[in-house]
Amino acid sequence: MYKEPYHFNVNRYYSNFQAVKDFASGQQTPVLLIDTQIIKDKYLDLIQSFPLAHIYYAVKANPMYEVLCLLNSLGSNFDVASRYELDQLLAMGVQPERISYGNTIKKRSDVSYFYEKGVRLFATDSENDLKNLASCAPDAKIFFR
């Protein structure tokens, strides 16, 4: 299926840029401003371009509550690397079936924690880690990096 390339709406982005400049002029630096509409547009483009794929957002890339809420509302899955990220998503109501534990350097206790919370998809890249997963998360799905 042919898809038109993504084009910026210059007028929209110029007016947003002006609004960002106006807002930022009164803030201490550094300051981070996120245009969630761009995130939404890019996510929708991604799922349209890969209709058979299950998209997993790497929470460590930007764990802002607003970003995670937006992606959750759009049906995104999530890849996490820590207990903190997992607990953050679960507190937001994200189902553990939509979460993968992508950290390849993990303690057995963390594997058990994730498994007890309902996560069943884990990344690995070593034989030792695979053995830990087999014993602490016996019916998990595992992907190799």
Side-chain angles (χ1 to χ4, degrees), residues 39-40 42-44 46-47 53-59 67-79 89 92-100:
I39 294 170
K40 180 178 180 180
K42 295 295 186 180
Y43 179 79
L44 294 175
L46 190 60
I47 61 172
H54 299 279
I55 307 299
Y56 284 79
Y57 174 74
V59 173
V67 171
L68 299 178
C69 282
L70 170 65
L71 292 171
N72 185 37
S73 73
L74 296 172
S76 179
N77 298 295
F78 298 91
D79 182 71
L89 291 174
M92 294 172 52
V94 176
Q95 297 300 308
E97 297 82 21
R98 294 175 45 213
I99 301 172
S100 71

Side-chain angles (χ1 to χ4, degrees), residues 8-136:
F8 288 108
N9 178 330
V10 175
N11 292 330
R12 175 181 175 264
Y13 288 97
Y14 180 75
S15 67
N16 283 0
F17 180 71
Q18 286 303 119
V20 166
K21 279 179 47 178
D22 293 344
F23 177 82
S25 67
Q27 304 297 313
Q28 290 186 349
T29 59
V31 62
L32 175 65
L33 302 173
I34 304 290
D35 185 340
T36 54
Q37 186 61 48
I38 294 173
I39 294 170
K40 180 178 180 180
D41 292 346
K42 295 295 186 180
Y43 179 79
L44 294 175
D45 283 348
L46 190 60
I47 61 172
Q48 182 180 4
S49 297
F50 297 95
L52 301 178
H54 299 279
I55 307 299
Y56 284 79
Y57 174 74
V59 173
K60 68 182 174 185
N62 185 339
M64 280 180 58
Y65 180 77
E66 295 81 359
V67 171
L68 299 178
C69 282
L70 170 65
L71 292 171
N72 185 37
S73 73
L74 296 172
S76 179
N77 298 295
F78 298 91
D79 182 71
V80 298
S82 69
R83 287 184 183 206
Y84 172 78
E85 293 172 354
L86 173 64
D87 292 341
Q88 182 182 14
L89 291 174
L90 294 175
M92 294 172 52
V94 176
Q95 297 300 308
E97 297 82 21
R98 294 175 45 213
I99 301 172
S100 71
Y101 188 15
N103 191 342
T104 57
I105 303 171
K106 50 192 165 302
K107 297 180 261 181
R108 288 175 59 89
S109 60
D110 288 339
V111 172
S112 295
Y113 183 82
F114 274 72
Y115 188 78
E116 290 167 7
K117 296 289 183 174
V119 174
R120 295 296 184 266
L121 182 59
F122 295 82
T124 193
D125 65 358
S126 72
E127 183 178 351
N128 189 50
D129 188 54
L130 185 59
K131 289 176 182 176
N132 287 338
L133 288 167
S135 66
C136 298

